Amino acid sequence: KQEVTQIPAALSVPEGENLVLNCSFTDSAIYNLQWFRQDPGKGLTSLLLIQSSQREQTSGRLNASLDKSSGRSTLYIAASQPGDSATYLCAPSSGGSYIPTFGRGTSLIVHP
Amino acid sequence: DTAVSQTPKYLVTQMGNDKSIKCEQNLGHDTMYWYKQDSKKFLKIMFSYNNKELIINETVPNRFSPKSPDKAHLNLHINSLELGDSAVYFCASSQVRGLKIAGGPREQYFGPGTRLTVT
């Protein structure tokens, strides 16, 4: 059974810092891994999807890397802004039904 | 147009009642999901439907019954509601089958959630 751990659980930083959010998973036989953002009281917004054959994906100030063999993914946020404040979730998809398993997320606060 | 929509957004009801939550996606995806997010914000899969067929049913009480009238809709019916059912329920969709690229399903798209409160 896939288990996903996200570190740190919470992070509070001043605006402008570069951030690293970590995700580890126990079953390395994944099809892909998706990073999401969840704002308070809202649904999940997809940020990046990395296929199992890929090493990284970039979108704007976000860069996600994947090391499938070691069961790790990292989300890098450059030049953080207050608008980046949210909970970030990673979800690798594995198993015959391609079901994503979610971590508990990293709660990020970027203060001005 | 909203890609994945859910109704209602808020649902307050008493123990023992039966209620339904509706979900619709206009993305043409073949797979839809229901997730439950508890008070500790942990998101857990409940059901997954592919082309109107149930493909996964996690350890969910049989008071919960998903209904998929067509590929674009996956409704969740809950009988005899209990206090512990209070949570936020999210619907999601993705394209799983018939992909040209390797690596399985494309990204999931989530609805805005339905906050269920049982009193």
Side-chain angles (χ1 to χ4, degrees):
Chain A
K1 181 182 176 183
Q2 181 74 278
E3 293 183 3
V4 181
T5 303
Q6 291 188 243
I7 295 173
L11 192 57
S12 180
V13 299
E15 183 176 5
E17 282 203 3
N18 299 324
L19 307 173
V20 176
L21 308 183
N22 297 294
C23 171
S24 61
F25 44 93
T26 54
D27 181 0
S28 61
I30 65 170
Y31 298 101
N32 59 36
L33 185 143
Q34 197 166 355
W35 281 92
F36 292 89
R37 166 188 174 138
Q38 185 175 25
D39 293 280
K42 305 284 187 182
L44 278 69
T45 301
S46 177
L47 297 173
L48 291 163
L49 173 72
I50 310 177
Q51 300 294 346
S52 60
S53 58
Q54 297 174 322
R55 297 285 293 185
E56 65 179 300
Q57 280 286 339
T58 298
S59 176
R61 294 182 294 107
L62 304 179
N63 176 277
S65 66
L66 174 64
D67 184 345
K68 199 175 99 165
S69 60
S70 66
R72 294 180 184 174
S73 178
T74 298
L75 179 67
Y76 178 80
I77 304 176
S80 57
Q81 302 171 357
D84 295 330
S85 298
T87 297
Y88 290 80
L89 299 151
C90 78
S93 290
S94 56
S97 301
Y98 307 103
I99 299 297
T101 301
F102 283 81
R104 292 186 176 272
T106 293
S107 177
L108 172 65
I109 297 175
V110 181
H111 45 89
Chain B
D1 283 347
T2 303
V4 182
S5 59
Q6 295 179 230
T7 54
K9 188 170 183 179
Y10 299 97
L11 185 54
V12 181
T13 188
Q14 293 183 330
M15 286 175 56
N17 285 348
D18 302 338
K19 291 293 180 185
S20 292
I21 306 172
K22 294 185 177 181
C23 178
E24 177 181 2
Q25 55 98 0
N26 62 6
L27 298 166
H29 289 162
D30 64 358
T31 303
M32 296 183 71
Y33 312 80
W34 277 108
Y35 289 86
K36 178 180 180 180
Q37 189 171 46
D38 60 25
S39 58
K40 296 182 179 179
K41 307 300 182 186
F42 187 49
L43 200 64
K44 188 172 181 181
I45 185 75
M46 299 175 69
F47 301 101
S48 175
Y49 263 76
N50 177 264
N51 283 326
K52 300 197 301 175
E53 291 186 24
L54 180 66
I55 59 173
I56 190 166
N57 178 356
E58 290 294 319
T59 51
V60 176
N62 57 15
R63 298 181 295 101
F64 291 79
S65 55
K67 295 285 193 304
S68 182
D70 54 58
K71 276 174 52 175
H73 296 84
L74 181 63
N75 303 322
L76 183 64
H77 189 75
I78 315 169
N79 290 328
S80 303
L81 279 156
E82 300 177 357
L83 292 176
D85 297 333
S86 295
V88 181
Y89 292 84
F90 287 101
C91 177
S93 73
S94 69
Q95 182 65 28
V96 174
R97 309 298 180 196
L99 299 174
K100 294 184 180 179
I101 59 173
R106 295 188 187 278
E107 59 194 316
Q108 280 198 332
Y109 291 84
F110 277 73
T114 295
R115 181 174 294 277
L116 171 65
T117 303
V118 182
T119 61

